[in-house]
Amino acid sequence: QVQLQESGPGLVKPSETLSLTCTVSGGSISSYYWSWIRQPAGKGLEWIGRIYTSGSTNYNPSLKSRVTMSVDTSKNQFSLKLSSVTAADTAVYYCARDRGLRFMTDWGQGTLVTVSS
Amino acid sequence: QSVLTQPPSVSGAPGQRVTISCTGSSSNIGAGYDVHWYQQLPGTAPKLLIYGNSNRPSGVPDRFSGSKSGTSASLAITGLQAEDEADYYCQSYDSSLSVLVFGGGTKLTVL
């Protein structure tokens, strides 16, 4: 069973860039889509976007201008960068696997990112 | 305001049956896109519960079932157990927004 683990700073200053990495273990990262989803405290889930192992991306239009995703198949990792963050970006960020059918089969445990000075 | 609408909460006694609705529109569920359901236990990540409207991943009890009709979908849970107390989210694809969309979530309380 594939396992996903998010990592990155838990605190980011306003206007700076949030950077997270998801490490995939127990299977190859190749030939799958990999998504990022976030969840503000006490609120629902928001899909941020996804990347295929070829590097092609789909982003949520509401965040597209600030989002960059990348993949490193040699390290079995993929990453998220969200620029110009504000307090509204404070959330638990999840990485997940999408087998190309537009739903998430496997999820990381999530990592809390707080935007504050 | 979520693109997919779910009731904020439902409740039921142990052993009972509950249903959770998920209402969309002609650009998502009504356009034929599949609906998927996730269970989120307190303090944990979401877990895939139903995919492709009515399919259960391996390991999910057959007490959980899904259906879809028109612009809506439903999750049914029979033989309610205390361990089913969680938040449940529906999810689909919206072609006008070009995004994966979630419902706002439904909190299930087992009385």
Side-chain angles (χ1 to χ4, degrees):
Chain A
Q1 180 75 349
V2 69
Q3 294 185 327
L4 297 87
Q5 178 68 57
E6 305 88 351
S7 59
L11 181 64
V12 181
K13 290 183 169 54
S15 79
E16 294 190 346
T17 297
L18 177 160
S19 296
L20 295 174
T21 296
C22 183
T23 301
V24 179
S25 59
S28 174
I29 198 172
S30 297
S31 303
Y32 290 107
Y33 289 86
W34 302 92
S35 283
W36 289 96
I37 302 100
R38 68 181 182 179
Q39 184 175 35
K43 295 188 178 181
L45 301 163
E46 179 181 32
W47 181 75
I48 300 170
R50 67 177 186 175
I51 185 166
Y52 189 62
T53 46
S54 66
S56 67
T57 55
N58 303 108
Y59 298 148
N60 188 325
S62 69
L63 297 167
K64 187 175 183 177
S65 64
R66 299 194 290 131
V67 171
T68 303
M69 294 183 185
S70 59
V71 62
D72 187 337
T73 54
S74 67
K75 294 183 179 178
N76 247 30
Q77 294 177 332
F78 61 104
S79 299
L80 167 70
K81 291 187 185 300
L82 182 64
S83 64
S84 304
V85 297
T86 69
D89 296 309
T90 294
V92 174
Y93 285 75
Y94 295 100
C95 59
R97 180 168 68 168
D98 168 354
R99 300 193 184 199
L101 298 176
R102 299 183 180 132
F103 64 92
M104 279 61 72
T105 55
D106 307 278
W107 295 67
Q109 65 184 30
T111 187
L112 174 62
V113 178
T114 301
V115 178
S116 174
S117 55
Chain B
Q1 202 81 345
S2 301
V3 173
L4 304 179
T5 301
Q6 298 180 235
S9 63
V10 297
S11 62
Q16 285 190 331
R17 178 181 186 271
V18 297
T19 62
I20 299 173
S21 62
C22 175
T23 302
S25 68
S26 58
S27 61
N28 41 70
I29 299 175
Y33 293 105
D34 286 342
V35 178
H36 320 288
W37 292 89
Y38 302 89
Q39 177 192 59
Q40 186 174 33
L41 297 170
T44 69
K47 167 193 163 187
L48 181 65
L49 196 64
I50 297 286
Y51 67 93
N53 306 316
S54 59
N55 301 291
R56 286 185 308 276
S58 174
V60 173
D62 60 6
R63 301 186 297 105
F64 295 90
S65 63
S67 63
K68 172 188 161 184
S69 178
T71 58
S72 295
S74 290
L75 172 70
I77 309 172
T78 59
L80 209 53
Q81 299 179 4
E83 66 203 49
D84 298 333
E85 194 159 282
D87 293 325
Y88 293 83
Y89 292 91
C90 61
Q91 180 250 306
S92 186
Y93 175 77
D94 191 285
S95 58
S96 66
L97 300 172
S98 298
V99 295
L100 303 190
V101 289
F102 289 94
T106 299
K107 182 175 182 60
L108 168 63
T109 300
V110 180
L111 302 171

